[in-house]
Amino acid sequence: MLLSSATSSLNPQSLPFLSFSHSISLPLPLLPNPCRPTHFPSFQINCIDAAQPFDYESHLKNHYIQSTSLKIAILGFGNFGQFLSKAFLRHHHTLLAYSRTNYADLANQLGVSFYSDPNDLFEQHPDVVLLSTSILSTETLLQKLPFQRLRRNTLFVDVLSVKEFPRNLFLKYLPPDFDILCTHPMFGPESGKASWAGLPFVYDKVRIGDGENRVKRCDKFLGIFEKEGCRMVEMSCMEHDKYAAGSQFVTHTMGRVLEKFGLESSPINTKGYETLLNLVENTKGDSFDLYYGLFMYNQNALEQLERLDMAFESIKKDLFGRLHEVYRKQLFGDNGEMDKKMNLPQKLLGNGSLIEPPLDNVRQDGS
């Protein structure tokens, strides 16, 4: 009975050091008493994790995220901008977005702050301003941006498929204190939907200030793609456009040609044919503006288009030339004499008559 009265007199509120957030019930056995029925009263304890404010690992994690995170403003929140934003969010960066189309609901679902006015966005002082617009609208956008609302050393980055064109625009329109990083993730929502591991990421540090913070900021941005497993390739914008005209523009051209050709799957697809079908699938999702931009704003693209045309004509000549030989043999017979006459050069005499080629068993001196 003494134990029963002692346990029932405990009041959790009278003992603040026993006030916890988790509740447990402990049955306490009583001494048997033949005069009253046996029962087991419960003892309730409310507990709170007293170690939570001192969680060292949690503090370390938060400190690491704050030291490596960037505030990134994405101008142009279309298909590619949304594709990049998902990777940025995986690395705990804060994202802001602006686009002519209202993507507020979609941005809210992703955890991105959407702004319909670039003035409001720039007043948030992002560390990085990323251009993910159409190549055709880039210059018009840059002409309208309120640069005065940004910090004077803001980093501007582009992800356009050509490089010399945006580089020249940045140098023309951006204030001289702004940093410039020209990049090209050479993959998209289709080719990079599973993983970015091993996919090439080209970049050119056009203008990065000497300050430690500015260098680290640039490295943090590039670090996103490094951590995703991209193959980092540093080269000049001029080199990029030269190589891209021979790879990306040709790839898009062949994909569009095959799409217009009407390439379709069949029950007996070979691996090579599957490759062609995948090529069409990867390129048809891109807008024609993108393809036109690859042609219009890369000075090497026209040369590649002409080379493709010449290569196709050369293949046609080879095919029709072989077909002509087959028809000629069917008409004139498959004997070597006709081939010899066709292959020997014919010369004209002074009176215009042809010189007959010498016979094999007669020497040219007449004997």
Side-chain angles (χ1 to χ4, degrees), residues 207-226:
R207 187 173 68 197
I208 304 297
D210 296 331
E212 181 180 358
N213 291 335
R214 298 170 78 163
V215 173
K216 284 185 176 180
R217 179 179 57 191
C218 179
D219 292 340
K220 285 180 187 178
F221 182 82
L222 294 175
I224 300 172
F225 298 90
E226 290 179 352

Side-chain angles (χ1 to χ4, degrees), residues 124-139:
Q124 304 304 314
H125 295 158
D127 301 306
V128 179
V129 176
L130 176 70
L131 265 69
S132 180
T133 59
S134 164
I135 300 173
L136 307 182
S137 61
T138 301
E139 183 168 14

Side-chain angles (χ1 to χ4, degrees), residues 146-159:
F147 300 120
Q148 73 278 3
R149 299 187 182 277
L150 294 169
R151 293 192 184 95
R152 288 194 299 272
N153 65 350
T154 303
L155 171 62
F156 266 72
V157 183
D158 85 283
V159 289

Side-chain angles (χ1 to χ4, degrees), residues 50-68:
Q52 185 176 4
F54 308 101
D55 189 347
Y56 185 64
E57 292 182 359
S58 177
H59 278 285
L60 280 180
K61 181 179 179 181
N62 291 333
H63 178 72
Y64 174 77
I65 291 175
Q66 292 175 1
S67 64
T68 58

Side-chain angles (χ1 to χ4, degrees), residues 69 335 357:
S69 64
N335 54 56

